Amino acid sequence: MSTFIRELEETGRALYDKIQPIPYIREKMYSVDREFIEVGMERRDEHDHDSWRTLGSYHDIFPVEKRNPRIQIIEGDPGYGKSTLALQMVYDWCNKVSDSPFSGPDILICLNLRQLKGITSIAQAIKQFSLPLDSELEQDDVEQLIRRKQKKNILVIFDAYDEYPDQHNKGNFVMQILSGKILCHVNILLTTRSSCIPPGLGAQTGRVRLTGFDDAAQERYIRKVVTGDDEESVKKILDQLNINPTLGVLCRAPLFSVMYAHLTHKGSMLHEISSVTEFFGHMISCFLSHAQNKLPGANESPENQQTHADTHAALDKLAFEALTSKMQQLVWDRTFFVGELGEDFYKLYVGVGILVEEKETYIPAPGKVPQDKTVVRFYHKLFGEWYAAYHLIECVKSRSYSFPENISLYDLKFLFMFACGLDQPGGLQVIKLLGEMEDGETSVVLCAPQLKEWSHDIQTTVRGIVSKKVMIPRYDSRLRQRSTIQLLELASQHEIPISEVRLVHSFSSVGPDSLSLVLHSGLCLPPLSSLQELVIATEDGREVIVDEWTGILDYAEQCQLLKRLRLAYCLLPWMDSFPISLDNVKGMIF
């Protein structure tokens, strides 16, 4: 057992000791504890699954004061730090960090599910990916060690379930463990996108979702990793965030925040960015510009040359086909990939860091000697969605085109957003197709603000959305809330009647001079001139004080077509406490 634990620690250190915040900055590799900043997180109430409460720290995921669910799900949108959090847990265990509950398990195993294509047992996965190549432990030894029930405190981290290539194969070993058919004594922590929760989990499964960086976390990261105590540099980076609301929303996602901080510190000006597409495009341009200055031969193959453009199109197609397949597997054999794209293009994109090489050990056949091969993947799945968006634009130029049957609207929301921001005519067609799909309205809400101009067709689509109830719930991500607000503002500017806006547990306070309603996320809903009904559903039993109620009424007066204002689940002040008359709010019904 001691050999097994020692080798798990050795492999764990290799995992957490090579964090790369910016893909092309190879000279700066960090240990995860050097870069890690806690993100906001919430735990789902075990009795009321619609309620979530804030956690103070990742240490609280497994609170010591009560019996915990055997399975904990850590969920979050792309770029919210799920894998980084998993590596920090590995760090805590390997280094026996005294105040961390993750130093407590006798055995901690972290497996990246993206790598486990064709793996049929957890013992095989551990042998191939969690032990040194020269380990003398055999697969059977591993099987016996993890099945010893006297070693009760075993934690297995399954990272990136949303990228698990075998998740659709019935009876895969991961689902056997999650369903309790095997290894019932082992505790499981699984990370995944919010849109890809494993099916069939018990009601007692713990759920924790990551909510991203707040202002304080952003500043802590900047000081800890980027600038140190250089106050002028800290101010420069934070000022751009404060003057640009789009950047402020995007950088709640740690992936975007980290790249923004490093790029801005290096002199890249991002204050005029107005959409997620512009931000990501600027980031890619910085990567390629760096390559042309640093990498041998990069200037001989610039982005604008026709050969490079043709190869770019081939990469776009590979990414799109992978993302829209049933398994969404963005990993390719290096030999195949180079054959499709060419050696020069491949070296450029690996050098830039957009593509990443990995060694993969596989067993060619039962009883055969394990062999290594090199595979290639995108630095992050979002990069795959960026390149796939170019191919989607080409596809929708054919008026007869329809989305692939297996396409996931929510899981690939950035693919659609990028496509709408990259090409106005193509984006209009994408939104038209989304609007015709069941549950496509959510995607339209996210995508419409990416467009530079609104055509008559888009106005018709938006008119259909805002003619029904528009919800802004507290559990929506800041990006979704921001997109919804932008859509409502644009509808109001185009004098499109907005039937009803409902704030579900998301209302926090009234902004200065009653010029907005402030949400718990920090975002603000401005007065909407075409809004007809506003519903503010607060937390049960919340007491609305006189000043707050007056501010809500003042806000309502600025919504010129408002006919109805409703507050739900809250306690209003006594009527004779009102400092203003309800007559000031024209046409209002309570």
Side-chain angles (χ1 to χ4, degrees):
M1 179 62 74
S2 60
T3 300
F4 184 47
I5 293 174
R6 176 176 52 79
E7 291 187 347
L8 287 173
E9 290 175 344
E10 289 174 5
T11 308
R13 291 189 181 95
L15 285 176
Y16 69 66
D17 215 21
K18 53 181 181 181
I19 301 296
Q20 201 173 342
I22 300 293
Y24 63 74
I25 305 179
R26 302 289 172 83
E27 63 271 18
K28 286 191 176 181
M29 302 283 278
Y30 297 97
S31 175
V32 68
D33 67 304
R34 171 70 175 82
E35 199 208 37
F36 180 73
I37 296 291
E38 290 224 42
V39 300
M41 56 184 67
E42 299 174 333
R43 184 198 301 280
R44 188 179 69 172
D45 188 281
E46 58 185 304
H47 304 295
D48 180 3
H49 287 179
D50 291 328
S51 297
W52 299 72
R53 63 177 180 85
T54 301
L55 291 183
S57 167
Y58 74 99
H59 291 175
D60 299 329
I61 293 173
F62 285 104
V64 296
E65 70 274 9
K66 65 177 184 178
R67 187 173 182 273
N68 297 301
R70 185 179 73 90
I71 300 171
Q72 295 276 3
I73 306 292
I74 308 293
E75 61 185 87
D77 279 347
Y80 268 63
K82 300 180 291 295
S83 294
T84 302
L85 177 58
L87 291 178
Q88 180 63 35
M89 295 171 181
V90 175
Y91 175 90
D92 290 357
W93 182 71
C94 290
N95 293 277
K96 300 297 180 279
V97 176
S98 59
D99 62 343
S100 172
F102 294 97
S103 65
D106 300 300
I107 296 172
L108 187 146
I109 298 159
C110 184
L111 293 168
N112 190 316
L113 294 181
R114 184 187 65 243
Q115 300 175 312
L116 304 190
K117 182 178 181 180
I119 301 295
T120 58
S121 72
I122 189 170
Q124 182 187 0
I126 295 169
K127 171 61 179 173
Q128 289 190 211
F129 295 99
S130 296
L131 299 180
L133 291 177
D134 59 354
S135 173
E136 295 184 359
L137 292 172
E138 299 295 336
Q139 184 173 319
D140 289 344
D141 300 326
V142 174
E143 185 82 35
Q144 293 179 20
L145 289 169
I146 62 174
R147 287 186 180 277
R148 287 183 183 175
K149 295 186 179 181
Q150 63 269 30
K151 275 289 184 182
K152 295 181 180 179
N153 203 353
I154 299 176
L155 175 62
V156 174
I157 300 174
F158 286 137
D159 186 30
Y161 177 81
D162 52 294
E163 298 183 55
Y164 179 37
D166 291 345
Q167 63 179 268
H168 299 290
N169 295 345
K170 293 183 179 180
N172 66 72
F173 80 90
V174 174
M175 284 308 303
Q176 288 181 352
I177 294 173
L178 294 178
S179 63
K181 293 179 179 178
I182 58 174
L183 299 181
C184 297
H185 63 291
V186 173
N187 294 313
I188 303 295
L189 190 148
L190 181 144
T191 75
T192 185
R193 288 191 182 193
S194 300
S195 58
C196 190
I197 304 297
L201 296 177
Q204 297 306 310
T205 299
R207 294 271 293 274
V208 173
R209 66 183 179 198
L210 307 186
T211 58
F213 278 172
D214 59 13
D215 294 342
Q218 287 174 337
E219 183 170 347
R220 285 198 300 273
Y221 180 87
I222 292 167
R223 291 182 181 278
K224 181 178 180 180
V225 182
V226 183
T227 66
D229 294 326
D230 183 346
E231 295 297 330
E232 183 177 346
S233 294
V234 173
K235 183 177 184 300
K236 170 189 168 185
I237 295 172
L238 292 177
D239 281 350
Q240 287 198 44
L241 281 177
N242 293 330
I243 65 177
N244 188 323
T246 300
L247 273 179
V249 171
L250 289 176
C251 289
R252 296 299 176 180
L255 175 71
F256 290 141
S257 184
V258 165
M259 292 192 176
Y260 159 79
H262 284 276
L263 291 174
T264 303
H265 187 54
K266 288 182 171 293
S268 179
M269 300 303 290
L270 294 162
H271 60 275
E272 295 182 356
I273 296 296
S274 62
S275 71
V276 63
T277 309
E278 289 183 7
F279 179 91
F280 217 86
H282 183 88
M283 187 172 64
I284 295 290
S285 296
C286 289
F287 290 1
L288 294 172
S289 175
H290 175 88
Q292 291 177 358
N293 294 329
K294 298 285 186 180
L295 296 177
N299 287 313
E300 283 72 37
S301 302
E303 184 87 354
N304 294 329
Q305 288 188 0
Q306 186 60 45
T307 54
H308 188 94
D310 291 343
T311 310
H312 189 306
L315 176 62
D316 303 340
K317 184 179 181 182
L318 283 175
F320 182 80
E321 290 177 346
L323 284 168
T324 56
S325 67
K326 187 175 182 179
M327 296 187 189
Q328 288 193 21
Q329 185 67 1
L330 281 168
V331 178
W332 298 271
D333 179 83
R334 183 193 187 280
T335 302
F336 165 80
F337 206 78
V338 171
E340 292 290 310
L341 304 181
E343 189 73 35
D344 290 341
F345 184 96
Y346 179 80
K347 287 181 177 178
L348 172 62
Y349 273 62
V350 169
V352 170
I354 293 173
L355 297 174
V356 178
E357 288 185 340
E358 290 181 340
K359 291 291 184 183
E360 184 177 283
T361 303
Y362 70 102
I363 300 175
K368 297 293 184 180
V369 177
Q371 298 182 12
D372 287 342
K373 68 176 180 179
T374 301
V375 296
V376 58
R377 61 173 178 86
F378 284 102
Y379 172 78
H380 192 280
K381 193 174 182 180
L382 285 174
F383 285 78
E385 294 186 54
W386 172 262
Y387 285 97
Y390 283 95
H391 186 72
L392 176 59
I393 291 168
E394 293 302 312
C395 289
V396 298
K397 288 179 180 178
S398 168
R399 294 293 174 178
S400 61
Y401 178 79
S402 59
F403 292 137
E405 183 179 347
N406 294 320
I407 201 163
S408 171
L409 296 186
Y410 184 81
D411 196 32
L412 298 178
K413 58 180 177 285
F414 282 97
L415 165 63
F416 300 116
M417 292 169 68
F418 291 151
C420 291
L422 286 169
D423 184 86
Q424 179 78 13
L428 293 173
Q429 185 63 16
V430 168
I431 287 182
K432 180 177 181 295
L433 291 170
L434 290 172
E436 295 170 352
M437 297 184 68
E438 185 179 356
D439 300 326
E441 287 186 359
T442 296
S443 297
V444 173
V445 169
L446 290 168
C447 292
Q450 302 294 315
L451 296 171
K452 300 294 185 184
E453 300 175 3
W454 276 22
S455 68
H456 174 74
D457 288 344
I458 294 302
Q459 291 188 41
T460 300
T461 301
V462 171
R463 189 182 301 274
I465 293 174
V466 300
S467 67
K468 297 173 287 189
K469 183 190 306 178
V470 177
M471 309 274 283
I472 306 181
R474 183 171 183 172
Y475 58 74
D476 268 356
S477 68
R478 282 177 58 92
L479 177 62
R480 172 65 195 276
Q481 288 186 352
R482 173 65 177 166
S483 297
T484 303
I485 292 170
Q486 286 180 305
L487 186 79
L488 293 170
E489 288 184 278
L490 291 168
S492 186
Q493 291 168 15
H494 286 82
E495 300 180 348
I496 299 173
I498 302 170
S499 175
E500 177 187 334
V501 171
R502 182 179 292 255
L503 307 182
V504 182
H505 298 177
S506 55
F507 170 73
S508 174
S509 61
V510 180
D513 299 322
S514 302
L515 294 177
S516 65
L517 299 181
V518 182
L519 308 184
H520 283 294
S521 63
L523 297 176
C524 296
L525 178 68
L528 302 168
S529 60
S530 64
L531 177 61
Q532 298 177 339
E533 179 173 352
L534 173 64
V535 179
I536 301 176
T538 69
E539 301 83 354
D540 285 351
R542 171 173 170 171
E543 183 176 351
V544 177
I545 62 174
V546 172
D547 289 347
E548 192 173 44
W549 178 226
T550 303
I552 292 172
L553 294 175
D554 286 342
Y555 170 87
E557 281 192 294
Q558 300 172 70
C559 300
Q560 300 165 4
L561 298 184
L562 196 65
K563 299 176 182 178
R564 186 185 299 265
L565 170 64
R566 291 196 290 148
L567 277 78
Y569 311 119
C570 59
L571 302 174
L572 296 178
W574 291 106
M575 294 292 289
D576 57 7
S577 298
F578 290 177
I580 66 170
S581 169
L582 295 182
D583 293 337
N584 292 358
V585 185
K586 296 179 181 179
M588 198 68 61
I589 301 174
F590 298 95

